[in-house]
Amino acid sequence: MKLLRCPRSAAAFALVVMAIAVMSLPSAVPARAEQTGMRAADPSVIRVGGTYVSVQSAGGGIAVRQAPSTAALAAAPARQVWSDTRDLGEVWAPEIVRDGGRYHIYFSAGRGAAHRMYVISSADPDSGYGTETKLRLPDDKWAIDGTLFTFEGQRWFVWSGWEGDTDVEQNLYIARMSSPTTPAGARYVISQPREGWERVVGDPFVNEGPEAVKDPNGQLHLTYSANGSWSDRYCLADLRLRAGGDPTYVWDWYKSNGCLFGSERSTMMPGWDPTLHVDGPGHHSFVLLDGDIAASPPAGPAFPLMFHAVPKGTPYAWENRYWYTGTFCWWGDTTYSRTGVPGAETDTGWSLKFFE
């Protein structure tokens, strides 16, 4: 099958969608975003063979669904795989990962400043999970939105957290892992919400919901959510690790110069357009085979994505968020620039386009 390159405009994207339909790509890749029947936040979805597996906070615990496509997840039965029997508190943003033939679900639980990361594991995606284990992340500070990935043979854990014990701002941190459940060494800050376009809504200012993906050149990206999730200014942005860079060194990461997926034009990166049908898209999930960034898609047509957002015309509130299916593709020759920090001021490589 001939690969189609990512389109350079919304009109061109429509033509690509038509071509994709003609070529009969799998139905799991929708022609445009669809609002699912799931009134929920923070989707996490992986593909295992021909089955799509999702995880969400539900019923005072965590539920897993399985379906033949992303669009069918909403109608699939939700199986409760873990309940908060120890009254840990609010259960936020579970992330499902497959590593070494086992499934690991990472989630944050707690109340207020007590939020920490936990993990449950099983050989099956929707049963057999045991008691939660607290991840002993370095410095033991407030932590949410954590997930595991492997890059260049090393396991890494990335999350959103506080530098200290007070809610000043949410930074992105990374740490090595010696196993799917064991952190090793220090934590390193790799992003802080210091750019004007990611400080439109604050108290606190946030970088959260990091998701790893590898571009066609093999470079690591962490796309994340910026601005408050309680606002329609919530959006997705990108961190790109320079070629040969050290994931623990903050200045080896280059940040997009604006939102790549958002509903407010003033916050968008030049050349990226705001959404037409939803407000505040954020906390997304790249739907990768086995959730493995080694299976990240090549340059070509659009690939499956899930995100949460609020339908336009609906009051923006947490309770009005839905899961959406969508698509993304790679966008080449994109320069991210910065000033006044160590290292080169520009880095050119792959970025991403997201589509409703």
Side-chain angles (χ1 to χ4, degrees):
M1 181 183 75
K2 182 180 179 181
L3 289 180
L4 301 175
R5 296 188 65 80
C6 187
R8 289 282 177 177
S9 68
F13 178 65
L15 293 175
V16 169
V17 166
M18 291 173 63
I20 288 173
V22 170
M23 292 188 294
S24 300
L25 284 178
S27 60
V29 183
R32 56 159 287 179
E34 297 179 6
Q35 179 182 316
T36 73
M38 298 174 69
R39 191 187 287 257
D42 309 330
S44 176
V45 185
I46 64 174
R47 178 170 68 86
V48 183
T51 300
Y52 293 79
V53 182
S54 72
V55 63
Q56 67 183 111
S57 298
I62 294 171
V64 169
R65 299 171 188 255
Q66 298 188 81
S69 70
T70 54
L73 284 168
R79 293 194 61 178
Q80 197 85 1
V81 299
W82 177 84
S83 296
D84 185 15
T85 58
R86 295 199 299 123
D87 193 29
L88 295 174
E90 301 155 329
V91 179
W92 290 349
E95 287 278 329
I96 188 165
V97 172
R98 197 167 186 233
D99 183 291
R102 290 183 62 82
Y103 296 87
H104 306 277
I105 298 176
Y106 302 90
F107 61 95
S108 181
R111 294 181 177 87
H115 270 276
R116 298 294 188 273
M117 292 301 308
Y118 295 83
V119 61
I120 54 176
S121 302
S122 176
D124 299 305
D126 64 349
S127 64
Y129 292 91
T131 304
E132 75 281 353
T133 297
K134 180 182 175 183
L135 280 184
R136 300 194 177 281
L137 293 174
D139 299 333
D140 191 27
K141 303 299 183 182
W142 186 91
I144 66 169
D145 297 352
T147 191
L148 180 86
F149 65 92
T150 299
F151 178 64
E152 296 184 342
Q154 171 66 55
R155 289 186 181 94
W156 299 92
F157 196 77
V158 62
W159 72 99
S160 176
W162 298 350
E163 179 181 4
D165 297 315
T166 55
D167 192 4
V168 176
E169 63 181 3
Q170 289 176 220
N171 305 320
L172 297 185
Y173 293 93
I174 196 169
R176 292 179 175 84
M177 299 285 282
S178 61
S179 78
T181 59
T182 308
R187 68 170 179 165
Y188 301 89
V189 63
I190 56 173
S191 182
Q192 295 173 286
R194 301 291 175 83
E195 302 299 321
W197 53 267
E198 58 184 350
R199 295 175 67 86
V200 177
V201 175
D203 194 22
F205 298 111
V206 303
N207 283 177
E208 62 186 18
E211 295 290 335
V213 69
K214 192 164 65 171
D215 72 27
N217 286 341
Q219 288 175 242
L220 179 63
H221 294 246
L222 288 171
T223 54
Y224 66 95
S225 299
N227 292 310
S229 64
W230 54 94
S231 160
D232 62 4
R233 301 308 193 255
Y234 205 48
C235 68
L236 294 184
D238 181 41
L239 292 174
R240 180 175 64 218
L241 185 67
R242 71 171 181 85
D246 177 358
T248 68
Y249 182 53
V250 63
W251 303 122
D252 277 352
W253 291 94
Y254 285 77
K255 183 176 291 190
S256 57
N257 297 116
C259 303
L260 302 182
F261 196 34
S263 54
E264 172 59 36
R265 182 171 293 279
S266 65
T267 66
M268 302 300 293
M269 176 148 165
W272 271 249
D273 295 320
T275 52
L276 298 174
H277 308 292
V278 302
D279 283 329
H283 207 126
H284 62 307
S285 181
F286 296 114
V287 184
L288 303 179
L289 179 63
D290 293 327
D292 184 359
I293 70 167
S296 297
F303 296 90
L305 174 82
M306 292 202 80
F307 61 94
H308 78 230
V310 172
K312 279 193 180 294
T314 302
Y316 198 93
W318 280 350
E319 61 269 22
N320 289 336
R321 294 176 294 186
Y322 284 85
W323 282 21
Y324 282 80
T325 64
T327 51
F328 75 98
C329 64
W330 291 108
W331 195 264
D333 301 322
T334 303
T335 298
Y336 296 165
S337 61
R338 64 193 190 187
T339 59
V341 299
E345 292 190 346
T346 63
D347 184 81
T348 300
W350 291 95
S351 187
L352 305 101
K353 285 277 187 175
F354 298 94
F355 299 98
E356 298 177 271

